[in-house]
Amino acid sequence: MVLLVGGTVSAVGRQGGVWSFLKFLAVLSGVYLIYRVIAWGRSRLLWSLRNRLILAYMFIAFVPTLLILTFVLLAGRFLYSQLGAYLLYEDLHRRIEMITDIAQHIAAAHDFRPAGVSEAEAERVLAAETHTVHDRELPDLSIEFSNDTRLLQEVAEGRPFFSGLLQEDDNSSQEDRLSLISVRNLKPPNGTRVVRLRVPVEDKMLATVAPDLGAIQLSLTRPHSAGGIRGVVYTSGEVQYETAARPIIARNRVLQPPGFWLEPSVDVVSRLEDAVYISRDGKVDKHRPVFAVFNARPSSLNSRMFSTLGELRNSYWTLFAVLATFFVLIWIAAFTTGVVLTRQITKAVADLYHATQYVQSGDLSHRVRIERRDQLGVLAESFNLMTGSISGLIEEQKKRQRLENEISIAREVQNQLFPQKLPVVPGVEMEAICKAARSVSGDYYDFIQLSPTHLAIAVADISGKGISAALLMASLQAALRSQMLAAGSETMSTAELVSRLNKHLVRNTGDDRFATFFIAVYDSATRTLRYTNAGHLPSFLISKDGALHLDMGGMVLGVAEECCYEQGVVAVPADALLVGYSDGLVEPENVYGEEFGIKRLQQAAVYVQDSSPKVVAEALMNAAEEWAGTPEQADDMTVIVARLR
């Protein structure tokens, strides 16, 4: 209320006495309110561990990055400002050097003029030749020959020549004028004839200076008088100067278009210190400053800066862009990693906190000591409540025991689905091993004898794990055997068989369930292997000639009903070894995070290819387990091996 009253008094403009005291009380109330809001926000926001970590990351990572970025931008602006000023300064002095060289050339030609040519005629010819060559780069260049050496005596300090910026009174107006000037004695050291070259620094001349810059404006200065300020006041040493009322603005010069949509402009105020000023009464000021105001685009200055690199310029720019992109990606990755880690930590704590709320029905004497009232303190308090729920835990244990019994029955039933007796086909030896990651497996393999010389070999991997995957595996096994045990199945295309199984799964399973599947039919009489791979990891056929990956087929089963599959046909070499497997056999990782992989599995099979199928299967399973270095399985592991004599 006090804050509201004080604000109203300030708004209506009341002054003095009680009104001032109310304003003072309003200020105190505002300070107190801000303090209370900060305290309330701190207790609310910092109560959460997630918010604390976010705040810590802000101070550790984001704020320093922002400061560094700001420093880089300011440094870049300073660099481009200095570069622009340097370009303007160098271009003006290049023209001064040009007229200096012209004056020196005229002086030399003047001293050695041909006999019979008058001095006036020689000077006219020299002036005409100079205008012809240099008028384009030195607009409004004037060349004067005279016997008046006062200017040279005033500014040359005893030398026979002078070149530079000259600021002097203009007799036709109240404003000063600025010129590029070069004065040289034609008959040194005691001659009285001088040549004076002058280029007025006006809008026409500024239009050709430093083409890499945008708009340019020069402001002349004069000593500051106490009668009032007409321009910007500048102090140099003990003298104060103010800018003239009429600046010199370059004609038809505008800022270049941006090189990209976010490119800023660089606005620069620079000072030309070496301008000499001469007043009407001959007073000389050798350090009269001239201010240059101009703008430019960093892209234009970059082009000028790197022009000496020639064809390598684009390579350097490409390298810089790649490095900049790489650094930005690293920063994004680091920032993302910090956010992800924060969410993981806080999610784990929050999940544990919420989980303890489900067990608050008991009462035990033991209590966890609570030291602070933040989120972790509340978690400890929740744990105290959880310790009293022993009866609920006992009931949960009973339910778990019943579930384990049901899973044990499901495991026994599933074991009956795998081949209990391996078929006997002339010239074929086979073996299979399946290790479930849980009590029941989602992997499936089968050997089905279709005729005395035909053998079907299948391996599949059902999406998911546990009972749901085992149920889908049973459905797939039933559908496969119903198709393969029908009359004439030994001549059926494996592509047609897989297409029928796909339709069965699409129509009888949910949208989120699918299976990878590999089926091969081997004819021992013709030594021909027909197969179709439906999104499964490619089985391989190992012989003395090398290894052949069996990957022809189509997409996984159970996703889309109208899918086309292909059948592959392979002529089997003598004493070949067929190896099929599930992804659980190639995905185990070692301590460095490297997967076992198909290549290592194939190398392990090649190493023992002359052994029996049982030895080969056990060797492959052991190789994968030794690579992981832990008895725990992340996924079901299945391998089938068939020796085709």
Side-chain angles (χ1 to χ4, degrees), residues 202-263:
E202 296 291 344
D203 54 355
K204 183 177 180 181
M205 185 266 185
L206 285 182
T208 63
V209 172
D212 300 296
L213 305 181
I216 300 176
Q217 172 183 311
L218 297 183
S219 296
L220 307 183
T221 60
R222 61 180 62 188
H224 173 60
S225 60
I229 300 176
R230 294 185 298 172
V232 179
V233 177
Y234 169 76
T235 301
S236 177
E238 298 180 355
V239 182
Q240 285 189 325
Y241 297 94
E242 65 179 18
T243 57
R246 184 183 68 86
I248 305 172
I249 302 175
R251 179 189 304 175
N252 299 327
R253 290 191 68 132
V254 295
L255 182 63
Q256 302 92 335
F260 54 94
W261 66 275
L262 199 59
E263 182 183 17

Side-chain angles (χ1 to χ4, degrees), residues 491-512:
T491 60
M492 180 190 301
S493 169
T494 57
E496 175 63 23
L497 171 64
V498 173
S499 179
R500 293 180 182 181
L501 294 178
N502 177 60
K503 292 181 180 179
H504 170 75
L505 290 184
V506 170
R507 296 175 181 178
N508 295 280
T509 59
D511 295 337
D512 59 338

Side-chain angles (χ1 to χ4, degrees), residues 175-354:
E175 298 291 340
D176 295 339
R177 63 176 179 176
L178 183 66
S179 305
L180 306 181
I181 192 168
S182 179
V183 183
R184 179 173 288 273
N185 195 335
L186 294 180
K187 295 180 179 179
N190 299 318
T192 58
R193 193 69 171 172
V194 296
V195 60
R196 181 172 60 188
L197 285 79
R198 182 194 302 271
V199 178
V201 181
E202 296 291 344
D203 54 355
K204 183 177 180 181
M205 185 266 185
L206 285 182
T208 63
V209 172
D212 300 296
L213 305 181
I216 300 176
Q217 172 183 311
L218 297 183
S219 296
L220 307 183
T221 60
R222 61 180 62 188
H224 173 60
S225 60
I229 300 176
R230 294 185 298 172
V232 179
V233 177
Y234 169 76
T235 301
S236 177
E238 298 180 355
V239 182
Q240 285 189 325
Y241 297 94
E242 65 179 18
T243 57
R246 184 183 68 86
I248 305 172
I249 302 175
R251 179 189 304 175
N252 299 327
R253 290 191 68 132
V254 295
L255 182 63
Q256 302 92 335
F260 54 94
W261 66 275
L262 199 59
E263 182 183 17
S265 63
V266 179
D267 300 314
V268 184
V269 178
S270 181
R271 184 183 65 191
L272 304 177
E273 291 281 8
D274 53 355
V276 177
Y277 175 78
I278 299 180
S279 63
R280 297 180 184 178
D281 55 3
K283 184 179 180 181
V284 178
D285 185 352
K286 295 185 178 180
H287 299 285
R288 178 71 63 90
V290 175
F291 288 100
V293 181
F294 58 89
N295 54 23
R297 293 286 185 188
S299 58
S300 299
L301 297 177
N302 286 336
S303 300
R304 179 62 178 272
M305 188 188 309
F306 296 104
S307 60
T308 56
L309 297 177
E311 296 180 355
L312 296 178
R313 177 178 59 185
N314 293 333
S315 300
Y316 282 110
W317 271 114
T318 301
L319 178 61
F320 176 78
V322 169
L323 291 177
T325 303
F326 180 69
F327 290 155
V328 170
L329 290 178
I330 290 178
W331 182 87
I332 293 175
F335 183 79
T336 304
T337 302
V339 173
V340 171
L341 290 176
T342 301
R343 291 182 62 85
Q344 290 176 348
I345 295 173
T346 57
K347 185 177 184 301
V349 175
D351 290 344
L352 181 60
Y353 165 72
H354 291 299

Side-chain angles (χ1 to χ4, degrees), residues 2-54:
V2 174
L3 181 62
L4 180 61
V5 172
T8 304
V9 171
S10 298
V12 299
R14 296 287 186 176
Q15 300 290 337
V18 178
W19 307 115
S20 298
F21 182 69
L22 286 176
K23 292 180 183 178
F24 176 72
L25 291 180
V27 172
L28 293 180
S29 300
V31 173
Y32 177 73
L33 180 62
I34 293 173
Y35 170 77
R36 291 301 302 269
V37 168
I38 293 176
W40 177 86
R42 181 178 179 275
S43 62
R44 293 284 181 174
L45 294 176
L46 297 185
W47 179 87
S48 170
L49 179 61
R50 175 176 178 271
N51 293 342
R52 289 191 178 189
L53 290 176
I54 291 176

Side-chain angles (χ1 to χ4, degrees), residues 584-586 588-589 596 601 619-629 637:
L585 198 65
V586 296
E589 296 181 352
F596 184 56
L601 181 67
L620 297 182
M621 193 68 70
N622 292 335
E625 291 176 348
E626 290 175 0
W627 179 264
M637 301 171 64

